[in-house]
Amino acid sequence: MRLAKNVKFREEKFGGVLFETRSEKVFTLNPTAAAIVRELGVAHDEREIARRLKDRFDDPSNAIEREVFALIAELREKGLLEDSPRG
Amino acid sequence: MGDGIGVAEPVATRADAKGTEDLAAPLYVAWQITNECNLACLHCIEESGPGKAFRDELDKAGLFGILDQLLALEVPYLSFSGGEPMLHPHFFEMVEHVCAGDAQLKIETNGHYLSTANCERLRRLGVKAVQLSIDGASRETFNRMRVRGEYRTVVEGARNLHAAGVPIEINFSPTLFNIGEIGDAVDLAYELGSYSFYTGRTMYTGNAVKTWRRLAPSEEQYEVFFATLRAKAAEYRGRMRVHFHEMGLLEELRYRLRHPAALLIVLPNGLVKLINALPFVCGDLRKQPLTEIWANFQRAWHDPRVARFVDDLAVDPCKTSALHQWIHL
């Protein structure tokens, strides 16, 4: 799971931005979403991303997992993610 | 390749939830790497043409110094235009430098240098897309608009791009003599393998100032034009993006005053413009680092002279004829 070929990520003070260069659209990310995007390409799936983030942040209410699944679903729906490695 | 349609930039480079002042650097840099061109198009916004290179265009060290700054600041998206960018002596070296970095690059060309070998080279280097100008669905209208240009060469170039696997975008600038071909032009773009077709109103600036009476479509023609585009957008939905700007220049600029795009326009001599459709310059890359220019860009949009110029355009739309008389902010 990684960002689609035409999607670029840049960290910003407020979190980050995703720039989809095919449609030339910008998506802003809050700090949580930026942390999730940083894990793409490292972690295998949503569960692993959530586990890696839980290791780093306090999460008594288990909010991280919900946020990870929700963001990944949204990125997929917008065509910003791809599952197979790029050739 | 200075097409005078609308405000030549994407509509969505502003961060939706954040203003440009929250961004550490621009998201898009549109770089006119030379003003030299093999064509002398009737509508060229940049007044490019044979022998029209600026006398003070950047040298190789200057060019690559700027590219390194853009890559270091993680600017995700660049475009090279002109003039005709493929005439630039360091064109392919610059393309290679950007693509080997972590940025995506679009080439905006008039399509006269797209040989099989060049298209294969562009694919191998990894350009994100090549944008071609095809203003008409017939040789007669295309060649009339693109003085010294040849329709067949451009169509062959597009086919070479498609065969090489380079993504294609096609631009169309409407005039009173080609506007009726818009439906056929969209069909042609799809047949050539384009994934995107873009058009809008032709701007009264650059060469168009001298040729306006021969160029300017009527409002009635524009009504039919946009109706056709709406139908074509529906027809090609999911297959090719048909994107068009109905807004006039004044509405567009008023919107930009409130929501500047995270876009810098770099001229062949390193000057940086606030936006293509205004004469204001907010920096000089020969003398200032990009970070300083980016900060100045934020301030410059609040300069009262910018809002005043836009207000004056409402009274005198011909003020766009002076876009090349730069005003340094």
Side-chain angles (χ1 to χ4, degrees):
Chain A
M1 187 164 52
R2 62 173 70 191
L3 289 174
K5 186 180 171 191
N6 289 305
V7 179
K8 307 300 288 183
F9 169 65
R10 188 172 75 196
E11 294 198 41
E12 297 286 348
K13 280 184 188 161
F14 57 81
V17 286
L18 290 176
F19 190 7
E20 207 285 286
T21 61
R22 217 168 145 95
S23 61
E24 299 179 344
K25 282 186 180 166
V26 177
F27 302 88
T28 56
L29 304 174
N30 63 26
T32 308
I36 294 168
V37 168
R38 274 195 296 272
E39 295 296 329
L40 294 169
V42 180
H44 181 66
D45 58 17
E46 292 93 324
R47 267 180 227 293
E48 190 181 348
I49 293 174
R51 186 172 48 71
R52 287 172 60 90
L53 292 177
K54 278 178 171 190
D55 289 344
R56 284 168 33 206
F57 302 104
D58 241 4
D59 183 32
S61 62
N62 210 27
I64 285 179
E65 188 162 302
R66 284 195 301 277
E67 290 190 37
V68 169
F69 274 81
L71 181 75
I72 297 294
E74 190 181 346
L75 295 179
R76 271 190 217 287
E77 193 245 317
K78 290 183 159 66
L80 302 174
L81 275 188
E82 63 184 23
D83 282 316
S84 51
R86 295 199 289 272
Chain B
M1 200 275 330
D3 288 327
I5 46 173
V7 177
E9 64 199 41
V11 291
T13 43
R14 71 190 174 87
D16 286 338
K18 297 281 176 184
T20 53
E21 67 276 10
D22 296 306
L23 297 169
L27 291 171
Y28 180 18
V29 169
W31 191 346
Q32 296 159 13
I33 61 175
T34 181
N35 206 49
E36 183 65 24
C37 193
N38 50 316
L39 309 186
C41 304
L42 294 179
H43 65 302
C44 182
I45 184 174
E46 308 302 343
E47 299 179 26
S48 304
K52 293 289 186 75
F54 292 178
R55 270 179 289 182
D56 57 350
E57 292 195 357
L58 292 160
D59 61 14
K60 189 173 182 183
L63 291 165
F64 282 81
I66 293 168
L67 284 181
D68 286 338
Q69 286 190 66
L70 296 172
L71 295 173
L73 288 168
E74 296 182 59
V75 173
Y77 188 36
L78 282 80
S79 63
F80 289 164
S81 65
E84 172 46 51
M86 293 186 76
L87 284 175
H88 193 284
H90 303 300
F91 171 74
F92 277 108
E93 286 169 89
M94 292 172 72
V95 171
E96 185 170 8
H97 200 72
V98 172
C99 294
D102 199 26
Q104 296 206 348
L105 178 67
K106 178 164 80 170
I107 309 299
E108 298 180 10
T109 173
N110 61 37
H112 283 68
Y113 297 97
L114 295 170
S115 63
T116 308
N118 279 347
C119 292
E120 178 54 33
R121 196 169 176 189
L122 290 170
R123 184 206 60 80
R124 207 169 52 244
L125 292 174
V127 298
K128 175 238 156 191
V130 170
Q131 179 187 296
L132 288 172
S133 303
I134 303 187
D135 310 309
S138 70
R139 182 169 182 261
E140 185 193 350
T141 50
F142 179 94
N143 289 11
R144 185 171 168 192
M145 181 103 156
R146 302 255 159 198
V147 177
R148 295 171 178 242
E150 174 49 56
Y151 173 78
R152 289 175 187 146
T153 305
V154 179
V155 168
E156 185 185 337
R159 295 200 196 284
N160 290 341
L161 281 173
H162 192 53
V166 179
I168 303 170
E169 301 179 9
I170 288 180
N171 259 25
F172 179 100
S173 298
T175 63
L176 60 84
F177 59 81
N178 71 358
I179 197 164
E181 295 183 5
I182 185 61
D184 290 341
V186 175
D187 295 340
L188 174 66
Y190 183 72
E191 190 250 309
L192 292 173
S194 180
Y195 75 86
S196 170
F197 182 93
Y198 176 74
T199 187
R201 291 169 184 265
T202 294
M203 274 171 62
Y204 180 76
T205 191
N207 287 350
V209 172
K210 287 170 272 183
T211 56
W212 196 242
R213 274 188 298 178
R214 286 190 283 151
L215 286 189
S218 66
E219 276 311 306
E220 292 73 25
Q221 283 182 304
Y222 270 129
E223 276 178 33
V224 176
F225 176 72
F226 287 119
T228 306
L229 284 163
R230 279 188 286 276
K232 287 292 177 188
E235 181 183 340
Y236 284 103
R237 187 163 294 132
R239 296 186 289 158
M240 178 176 74
R241 183 172 181 241
V242 178
H243 178 55
F244 52 95
H245 239 57
E246 289 192 59
M247 258 196 277
L249 180 63
L250 187 62
E251 298 159 277
E252 175 80 25
L253 288 172
R254 281 179 170 152
Y255 176 81
R256 288 294 172 212
L257 281 171
R258 298 189 307 276
H259 306 287
L263 159 67
L264 294 185
I265 308 280
V266 180
L267 301 182
N269 55 8
L271 293 180
V272 179
K273 282 186 80 177
L274 207 51
I275 189 170
N276 223 4
L278 289 174
F280 301 104
V281 166
C282 62
D284 183 347
L285 282 161
R286 289 168 301 192
K287 298 174 185 163
Q288 297 165 283
L290 186 66
T291 46
E292 185 181 323
I293 294 173
W294 180 239
N296 200 35
F297 172 91
Q298 319 295 340
R299 285 192 296 275
W301 273 107
H302 299 294
D303 190 298
R305 286 173 287 179
V306 177
R308 202 177 309 131
F309 188 95
V310 175
D311 285 343
D312 289 349
L313 265 180
V315 182
D316 177 12
C318 296
K319 278 181 74 76
T320 51
S321 64
L323 291 186
H324 299 289
Q325 292 162 27
W326 301 318
I327 300 167
H328 294 256
L329 298 175

